[in-house]
Amino acid sequence: AIPESLRIFYHLHWINYYNANMLEKNRELIQHLHEHGVRDPVVLPGFNYQVTDEGIVIQKYTGMDPKPRIEREYNRIPVIKIGQFAFKNCIHLEKLDIPESVTHIGEGAFEDCPRLISITLPDSLEWIGDNAFSGCSSLTSIVLSKRLERIGACAFINCSSLLTVAIPESVTVIEAGTFENCKRLTAIILPEHVRAIREFAFKGCES
């Protein structure tokens, strides 16, 4: 129940709601907020987030579902970015499909998620930050967007189960330590336009 005093906050832009991903409950909550004077509410259960002029930025996953769901948009506002360290140390995270609206994955976004087996990256993705998937030791494969412009330094360092990677044509630099200690990496496809491979990019790739 929303207290009577809260009805004066007509410009409330974001709401934190810590519960399971139950879409029907989301609809009920949004309708309830509308009825109580909150305009354009956004509800992402299990996430801390911020609504910017461009769209929604996921700041932190607070839930416990090993296979959480992120919608492409909430109340017609698109999810555009997975923020810095948003899923860092989520030791229970196993699977995630990132929606097509996302263009950026921030620094350390999935750092040290040891049980993450499967992650689907969208075709809209343009940027992967430094250490984004560092220490995701159960991740065996990843498909990179053809629109990807940058893979950050140490982005896949210590992904010890990663087997193959195809770098899209849009990437021109392999940054420092990008695939360091990917011990099971047996094949990597580099595009014709790569002009630099930085230090330690493939250090410790024993296979």
Side-chain angles (χ1 to χ4, degrees):
I2 297 180
E4 193 74 28
S5 58
L6 280 182
R7 297 186 187 183
I8 64 172
F9 290 101
Y10 294 113
H11 298 286
L12 185 63
H13 292 302
W14 57 273
I15 299 164
N16 288 334
Y17 181 56
Y18 304 93
N19 209 332
N21 280 328
M22 296 184 293
L23 296 180
E24 189 58 41
K25 290 296 181 183
N26 288 1
R27 295 189 193 100
E28 292 176 10
L29 179 59
I30 289 174
Q31 181 179 355
H32 182 74
L33 293 171
H34 272 303
E35 291 171 354
H36 288 79
V38 179
R39 297 185 302 184
D40 298 325
V42 176
V43 179
L44 277 74
F47 294 97
N48 291 349
Y49 61 96
Q50 181 182 15
V51 178
T52 68
D53 291 339
E54 292 77 25
I56 296 170
V57 177
I58 303 292
Q59 295 178 315
K60 185 67 178 176
Y61 179 49
T62 60
M64 294 299 293
D65 188 345
K67 300 176 182 179
R69 182 174 178 177
I70 302 175
E71 299 292 332
R72 183 170 183 167
E73 60 180 34
Y74 294 85
N75 202 25
R76 300 180 299 279
I77 303 175
V79 177
I80 59 166
K81 183 176 181 180
I82 307 298
Q84 292 183 347
F85 313 116
F87 289 83
K88 182 176 180 179
N89 294 326
C90 287
I91 59 173
H92 54 282
L93 184 66
E94 296 178 0
K95 183 180 185 295
L96 182 67
D97 295 336
I98 299 178
E100 284 297 330
S101 52
V102 171
T103 59
H104 283 63
I105 293 177
E107 176 186 352
F110 295 92
E111 186 174 350
D112 293 330
C113 294
R115 295 184 182 179
L116 181 61
I117 298 172
S118 172
I119 187 162
T120 302
L121 302 183
D123 291 336
S124 58
L125 191 64
E126 299 173 0
W127 184 280
I128 295 177
D130 297 347
N131 292 286
F133 296 93
S134 170
C136 292
S137 54
S138 297
L139 193 64
T140 57
S141 65
I142 195 160
V143 178
L144 300 175
S145 163
K146 293 180 180 179
R147 298 174 60 181
L148 192 64
E149 297 175 1
R150 182 179 187 270
I151 304 173
C154 300
F156 295 96
I157 189 172
N158 296 325
C159 289
S160 53
S161 297
L162 196 62
L163 299 175
T164 60
V165 177
I167 307 295
E169 291 288 338
S170 50
V171 173
T172 59
V173 177
I174 309 299
E175 298 289 352
T178 302
F179 297 99
E180 185 173 348
N181 291 332
C182 292
K183 297 180 182 299
R184 296 184 64 191
L185 187 64
T186 58
I188 188 158
I189 301 172
L190 298 179
E192 293 291 334
H193 299 295
V194 167
R195 56 181 174 81
I197 298 177
R198 306 292 189 202
E199 58 269 23
F200 312 119
F202 299 98
K203 179 182 178 181
C205 293
E206 301 172 353
S207 301

